[in-house]
Amino acid sequence: MQIAWTRILPVIVSILVIIAVALLREYNKTFAAIAATMPINIPLALWIAFSANETDQASREQFAEGLLIGILPTLLFLAVVWLAVRAGWKLVPTVAAGYAVWGVALLALIGLQRLLSA
């Protein structure tokens, strides 16, 4: 049996980033936050998309467009989390509020995309 490194290596890199964030948090919370938000998942996802045999140029363009659509709700998620933390909320309500805003924003953007492409 041959190991599919193009599929396993991105997962290993993701795990290493999580470990780095956990270790950095002990020394410098700012660096830990930067490591947590650095664009590591995007290149890993691109790596997986580009290494797929059935992926053509149109599929890659559609994937990249999806990345752009997905980043805007993620920024709103972070803004809501920041506001909730500043307000003293606990973890579960903070994350729940962030995901609620993320979901609404994502659905709105997908709806807008479909409306504009129709």
Side-chain angles (χ1 to χ4, degrees), residues 6-91:
T6 57
R7 293 182 184 201
I8 294 173
L9 212 49
V11 175
I12 292 170
V13 171
S14 294
I15 292 168
L16 291 174
V17 168
I18 292 168
I19 292 169
V21 169
L23 294 174
L24 281 171
R25 187 186 169 280
E26 297 296 320
Y27 300 103
N28 189 313
K29 289 177 180 32
T30 301
F31 286 145
I34 290 168
T37 58
M38 68 185 209
I40 190 72
N41 287 335
I42 294 169
L44 291 174
L46 286 168
W47 183 4
I48 292 167
F50 273 62
S51 65
N53 292 336
E54 70 279 354
T55 305
D56 57 6
Q57 181 65 23
S59 296
R60 291 176 182 171
E61 287 177 23
Q62 185 179 14
F63 185 78
E65 181 180 345
L67 291 172
L68 280 173
I69 291 170
I71 199 70
L72 297 173
T74 300
L75 288 172
L76 289 175
F77 173 92
L78 288 172
V80 168
V81 165
W82 177 67
L83 291 170
V85 168
R86 285 187 61 193
W89 292 16
K90 296 200 181 292
L91 176 64

